Amino acid sequence: MPFLPFYIPRLKRLKIVVVGGGYAGIAALVTLLRHMPEADVVIIDPRFEHLKITHLHETFRYPLDDFLIPFSILENRFGCRHVCAELNPSESVLRQWQNDRFLEVNNEILEFDYLLLASGSPVMQVNKPENVFDLLDFMAISGSDVFHEWLNKPGAIARSVSVIGGGATGIQFLFEIAHFLRRYQIGCNLRLVHGENRVLNQFPIGFSTYTQSKMTELGIEFFPDTRYLGQQGEQILLGDNLTGREFNLHSSISFLFIGKKLETRFSANIFGQVVVEGTVLPNIFAAGDCCIYRAPGSNTMTAQSAVRKGMLSARNILRHSGALRLLEPYLHRDLGYVVSLGPMDAIGWLALEGNVVGGMPAMVIKELVEAQYDLLLTGLDTYLV
């Protein structure tokens, strides 16, 4: 059995329920079963597959199936169980679960010793016409299929394409779309609409400078300080943040990336245990985008932080169940961040946020990070504690 410091087993077979099968949930699952193979782990998730959501922009090059891992495969690989359901508990429900040590789902009672909330943060949804797509659409259909299906409609001509949102997700989709249009020789105007004065404004300015220069090279039109107001037919309605002027532009297809909802993030202590109105729920932990740790470690809404929180909460569940109950604080600092700029380019930082790297060095970092997570999915943990 792999060594886990400060863990002296007291129970041979824990019952653990993990709500959410994203990055945090899977990282916790692998960690739990690595240190306690006999544990009875149930994953509750509304999907039938684990989705590597940070790869969705790559579906303009690869099939969506490349980024889906059926929970049935994970069940066979790790000996866990998947229950297809969606749970969105309130704080009062969490209190009840802490007292009862069971929950009901699909008319089944699931008893647990520990429960881990790893349900992520839902993508913001808006009402939109059929020629506007968002991240939820790409969870069901690949980027290449979106274009091919649209262009196969009678009389369809893609004269202009708009991407709304210049954050990391929007930028990654923007560059994949640009290369897709070139690869298939689809002649149309591509533009980016962003509400701030520069793209990737949550990162050092070097990110923006490099990315916007690459946009210019690809002939991508940029509308900074511009907000999206809606779309009717093939007209996109925009507003100038500086002057207040509203105007229309032609847009055959629009892609909307306006971020994640932050309404229901739970609070957790430095060890990952959920805190409700100042009271720690000792048998309920949280990890990933659904929670904020009151700790020095990173609370960024990234796959990197989700994986680290998932691992830490799993280790602390085992420690809490043991004889010593000496828990590990969450101190993880982000080691870097990379934004893909198409098949052969990227921009990122490594070790220190001011250490900005672009081009091939950033691509190498990206490939290493992705390979590390793929190894975790096979049960091989190469992450440093």
Side-chain angles (χ1 to χ4, degrees), residues 216-281:
T216 301
E217 290 178 13
L218 291 171
I220 298 171
E221 194 175 9
F222 182 34
F223 286 80
D225 290 310
T226 304
R227 65 191 183 279
Y228 168 79
L229 299 176
Q231 174 132 355
Q232 291 184 344
E234 295 195 353
Q235 293 291 316
I236 187 172
L237 177 61
L238 304 173
D240 188 314
N241 288 339
L242 302 180
T243 65
R245 180 177 68 95
E246 296 183 0
F247 59 99
N248 292 310
L249 293 174
H250 183 274
S251 185
S252 304
I253 308 175
S254 297
F255 298 93
L256 192 59
F257 304 107
I258 54 177
K260 301 177 179 180
K261 292 173 64 177
L262 303 175
E263 297 173 0
T264 58
R265 299 188 82 182
F266 295 105
S267 178
N269 65 13
I270 195 170
F271 307 117
Q273 293 165 306
V274 172
V275 179
V276 175
E277 295 179 349
T279 300
V280 175
L281 306 184

Side-chain angles (χ1 to χ4, degrees), residues 97-143:
W97 287 352
Q98 170 66 42
N99 293 331
D100 296 341
R101 303 289 178 86
F102 73 83
L103 57 89
E104 183 176 354
V105 57
N106 295 349
N107 296 319
E108 177 185 2
I109 299 297
L110 293 179
E111 297 180 347
F112 63 83
D113 297 302
Y114 292 91
L115 182 140
L116 172 63
L117 293 171
S119 52
S121 180
V123 177
M124 196 175 297
Q125 298 185 53
V126 297
N127 293 325
K128 53 189 179 61
E130 64 176 359
N131 59 336
V132 177
F133 300 88
D134 61 17
L135 199 61
L136 286 174
D137 294 306
F138 290 101
M139 295 180 187
I141 184 172
S142 70

Side-chain angles (χ1 to χ4, degrees), residues 25-101:
I26 295 303
L29 167 72
V30 175
T31 304
L32 287 166
L33 295 177
R34 178 170 176 251
H35 295 287
M36 183 183 273
E38 307 85 3
D40 180 0
V41 182
V42 176
I43 292 184
I44 301 175
D45 192 276
R47 299 180 60 89
F48 289 100
E49 311 94 355
H50 166 63
L51 169 65
K52 294 196 282 186
I53 193 171
T54 56
H55 289 264
L56 287 181
H57 58 280
E58 295 180 25
T59 62
F60 285 91
R61 287 180 276 148
Y62 306 112
L64 177 60
D65 285 348
D66 286 3
F67 310 114
L68 298 174
I69 301 174
F71 282 115
S72 58
I73 290 178
L74 298 178
E75 286 178 315
N76 292 330
R77 183 177 297 166
F78 296 112
C80 61
R81 179 184 166 215
H82 170 237
V83 173
C84 187
E86 184 171 8
L87 296 179
N88 295 298
S90 64
E91 291 186 343
S92 61
V93 170
L94 294 183
R95 281 180 179 270
Q96 190 65 47
W97 287 352
Q98 170 66 42
N99 293 331
D100 296 341
R101 303 289 178 86

Side-chain angles (χ1 to χ4, degrees), residues 133-205:
F133 300 88
D134 61 17
L135 199 61
L136 286 174
D137 294 306
F138 290 101
M139 295 180 187
I141 184 172
S142 70
S144 57
D145 286 344
V146 166
F147 265 100
H148 290 316
E149 287 187 11
W150 184 260
L151 292 174
N152 286 334
K153 291 184 177 182
I157 300 175
R159 288 195 289 139
S160 56
V161 176
S162 302
V163 174
I164 299 98
T169 301
I171 289 297
Q172 293 185 135
F173 272 90
L174 176 73
F175 278 86
E176 289 292 345
I177 291 168
H179 286 279
F180 176 86
L181 295 175
R182 285 195 168 194
R183 188 160 61 248
Y184 287 93
Q185 298 181 341
I186 303 172
C188 68
N189 177 55
L190 176 61
R191 71 172 65 93
L192 174 69
V193 176
H194 186 44
E196 305 290 339
N197 63 353
R198 64 181 179 93
V199 303
L200 300 173
N201 50 291
Q202 69 269 46
F203 299 106
I205 195 167

